[in-house]
Amino acid sequence: MSQSRILVIYAHRRPAASRVNKAMVQAAASLPNVTVHDLMARYPDYRIDVEAEQQLLREHDVIVLQFPFYWYSTPAILKEWQDAVLAYGFAYGSNGDKLRGKKLLVATTTGGPGEAYQAGGYNQYTLSELLRPLQATANLAGMAYQPVFSTSGVIGMDDAALDKVATAYHQRLAAL
Ligand SMILES: Cc1cc2nc3c(=O)[nH]c(=O)nc-3n(C[C@H](O)[C@H](O)[C@H](O)COP(=O)(O)O)c2cc1C
């Protein structure tokens, strides 16, 4: 079987200031079948080229949405990307079958520690619950939603822990 073509849609408000996602992106980019697409680098003005984005999606079998968790959600540029790119007739609706059968992997990092994301914890809800809009979007588009790749408590993470995350991400992508 040929290797799946993986597209990492990377969204970070300030990519230059990133530690964890930057390490993950570097690990991802070292795989030959992975294309990393940095939304903020490409669209600093948030003006998404819908045609170009849809073409990129068509060319890949696995779509990874990688982002730091912001306000229990995605960074704004990734929400704008969803609103513009996942259009009627492309991702859903009549003839909207262009993403059907592709895999969707959410890869996210949270400042909050793992135990904060549970009923009774600091944030009350699990990450799976908070990511339901992305799961519902995958369902609507006929995509196979994968178990989330998440790393919690990332603020102040030391270099050894950072290396571990990058290695685990590399392995996860390689197995897709
Ligand atoms: C605008 C903003 C909103 C954030 N919201 C959350 C949040 O809702 N929950 C959380 O656990 N961490 C939150 N954080 C922390 C980030 O998730 C954390 O800084 C990020 O995952 C670190 O990754 P990086 O090194 O790639 O920037 C927020 C950070 C910023 C800048």
Side-chain angles (χ1 to χ4, degrees):
M1 208 183 88
S2 62
Q3 274 188 327
S4 52
R5 299 161 301 174
I6 301 175
L7 176 64
V8 175
I9 306 274
Y10 172 44
H12 194 292
R13 189 162 176 268
R14 290 171 63 218
S18 166
R19 280 188 77 228
V20 190
N21 283 275
K22 186 187 280 178
M24 290 169 64
V25 155
Q26 283 168 0
S30 71
L31 286 163
N33 57 326
V34 169
T35 305
V36 174
H37 185 47
D38 181 340
L39 291 183
M40 209 57 182
R42 176 77 173 75
Y43 305 113
D45 56 2
Y46 286 64
R47 288 161 61 102
I48 309 268
D49 181 339
V50 173
E51 285 295 320
E53 294 301 311
Q54 291 182 343
Q55 188 53 32
L56 260 182
L57 289 170
R58 281 194 189 89
E59 290 167 1
H60 293 83
D61 315 301
V62 178
I63 312 303
V64 180
L65 302 179
Q66 186 195 321
F67 55 93
F69 208 47
Y70 286 170
W71 289 110
Y72 309 108
S73 186
T74 63
I77 194 159
L78 184 54
K79 184 58 167 64
E80 175 60 15
W81 178 91
Q82 293 169 63
D83 295 353
V85 177
L86 305 180
Y88 182 90
F90 180 79
Y92 72 102
S94 176
N95 296 318
D97 58 358
K98 310 302 180 286
L99 301 177
R100 187 152 299 155
K102 297 182 192 289
K103 290 181 181 173
L104 184 78
L105 172 67
V106 170
T108 193
T109 59
T110 71
E115 65 267 22
Y117 286 97
Q118 60 179 321
Y122 184 75
N123 291 317
Q124 292 292 348
Y125 304 103
T126 67
L127 203 55
S128 286
E129 287 171 325
L130 294 166
L131 290 169
R132 287 278 194 260
L134 291 176
Q135 185 176 5
T137 301
N139 291 345
L140 184 69
M143 304 177 84
Y145 191 74
Q146 305 295 301
V148 171
F149 182 92
S150 66
T151 308
S152 53
V154 299
I155 291 167
M157 198 174 233
D158 64 26
D159 288 347
L162 216 55
D163 278 353
K164 269 194 183 168
V165 174
T167 301
Y169 190 46
H170 185 276
Q171 287 170 353
R172 182 68 195 281
L173 295 181
L176 281 166

